[in-house]
């Protein structure tokens, strides 16, 4: 199993839901040369959306953040996410939110939101357990 685990800072903003708002922000990031490691849009009711961005470098935009999270990328297999959560549970690290996706070809990406004061410890727990499993 091949895995990479790293800290990934995220930024967020709330936009009024209307056509083109997400496009405008994503276009601005592209023009600034900012590559996104991950992106999510979540409705906050019928008229507002929260956009969460994980840039590979900080952009000069008016966004809230940075906030720490973990980005796990690896080979997809049955129980892969359960194994991640098991290791964090055993280390008494609380995951308060997460998002994941597979590429349909055997790999996945998974974002874990942990408390800022637990981020470094969570990273060490996962790095150590995956290194031992490799």
């Amino acid at each position: 199993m091949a895995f990479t685990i790293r800290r990934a800072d995220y930024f967020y903003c709330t936009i009024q839901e209307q056509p083109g708002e997400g496009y405008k922000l994503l276009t601005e990031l592209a023009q600034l040369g900012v590559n996104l490691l991950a992106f999510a849009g979540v409705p906050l009711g019928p008229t507002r959306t929260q956009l969460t961005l994980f840039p590979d470098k900080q952009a000069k935009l008016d966004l809230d953040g940075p906030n720490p999270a973990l980005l796990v990328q690896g080979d997809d297999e049955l129980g892969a996410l359960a194994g991640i959560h098991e290791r964090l549970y055993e280390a008494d690290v609380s995951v308060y939110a997460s998002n994941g996706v597979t590429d349909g070809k055997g790999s996945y990406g998974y974002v874990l939101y942990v408390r800022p004061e637990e981020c470094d410890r969570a990273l060490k727990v996962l790095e150590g357990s995956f290194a031992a499993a490799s």
Side-chain angles (χ1 to χ4, degrees), residues 68-85:
L70 299 177
L71 174 60
V72 181
Q73 295 169 295
D75 297 330
D76 192 17
E77 64 179 42
L78 186 62
L81 301 184
I84 291 167
H85 283 268

Side-chain angles (χ1 to χ4, degrees), residues 25-134:
L25 177 60
L26 293 171
T27 299
E28 186 175 357
L29 289 169
Q31 290 172 344
L32 292 170
V34 176
N35 182 46
L36 292 177
L37 303 172
F39 172 83
V42 179
L44 299 175
T47 62
R48 295 182 313 135
T49 300
Q50 180 173 300
L51 301 178
T52 306
L53 305 113
F54 290 80
D56 66 352
K57 63 180 181 180
Q58 190 167 348
K60 293 185 179 11
L61 294 171
D62 188 23
L63 302 172
D64 290 319
N67 301 290
L70 299 177
L71 174 60
V72 181
Q73 295 169 295
D75 297 330
D76 192 17
E77 64 179 42
L78 186 62
L81 301 184
I84 291 167
H85 283 268
E86 177 184 22
R87 289 168 177 92
L88 293 173
Y89 165 71
E90 288 172 350
D92 198 32
V93 173
S94 179
V95 176
Y96 64 84
S98 61
N99 296 304
V101 65
T102 68
D103 67 0
K105 298 177 184 176
S107 296
Y108 73 91
Y110 192 48
V111 176
L112 296 146
Y113 298 85
V114 298
R115 288 178 175 44
E117 64 273 12
E118 293 184 334
C119 191
D120 290 338
R121 186 165 60 90
L123 181 61
K124 286 179 186 173
V125 165
L126 292 177
E127 284 177 331
S129 63
F130 286 125
S134 297

